[in-house]
């Protein structure tokens, strides 16, 4: 129950912050807009037989940048990550 109440309060703070910045979308619309930016993993095997995984965030669209800026968040929250197994 506590997690649900915490999530509700977090949602209210996000919506209030966005409204103060002039963004007045419903939560479902925001989720739909933000679902366009994804984290992508590319996997391949090199000539030594090692598996290489490259993980990066897709380019943000203008709507993403507007929302992130209103919330004070970076447009690329996670850095590129390369792992070799």
């Amino acid at each position: 129950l506590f997690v649900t109440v915490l999530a509700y309060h977090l949602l209210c703070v996000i919506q209030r912050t966005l409204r103060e910045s002039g963004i007045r979308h419903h939560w479902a619309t925001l989720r739909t807009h933000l679902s366009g930016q994804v984290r992508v993993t590319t996997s391949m095997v090199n000539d030594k037989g090692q598996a290489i995984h490259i993980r990066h965030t897709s380019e943000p669209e203008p709507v993403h940048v507007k929302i992130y800026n209103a919330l004070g968040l970076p447009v690329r929250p996670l850095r590129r990550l390369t792992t070799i197994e």
Side-chain angles (χ1 to χ4, degrees):
L1 182 64
F2 175 73
V3 173
T4 305
V5 172
L6 183 63
Y8 173 75
H9 285 288
L10 183 60
L11 172 64
C12 290
V13 169
I14 290 171
Q15 287 180 319
R16 185 185 72 226
T17 304
L18 291 174
R19 269 195 314 272
E20 290 170 355
S21 296
I23 301 172
R24 302 189 183 284
H25 299 297
H26 292 282
W27 184 246
T29 305
L30 288 170
R31 286 188 344 195
T32 301
H33 285 312
L34 292 174
S35 69
Q37 188 178 23
V38 295
R39 192 86 169 134
V40 179
T41 302
T42 304
S43 300
M44 62 195 94
V45 177
N46 66 9
D47 56 352
K48 297 176 185 176
Q50 297 171 312
I52 300 172
H53 307 283
I54 302 170
R55 192 162 172 87
H56 69 284
T57 305
S58 65
E59 282 290 324
E61 297 174 6
V63 67
H64 301 142
V65 173
K66 184 177 179 182
I67 293 168
Y68 294 149
N69 287 340
L71 294 172
L73 299 171
V75 294
R76 288 188 175 234
L78 302 171
R79 63 179 176 81
R80 181 179 170 159
L81 178 65
T82 303
T83 58
I84 301 173
E85 298 175 355

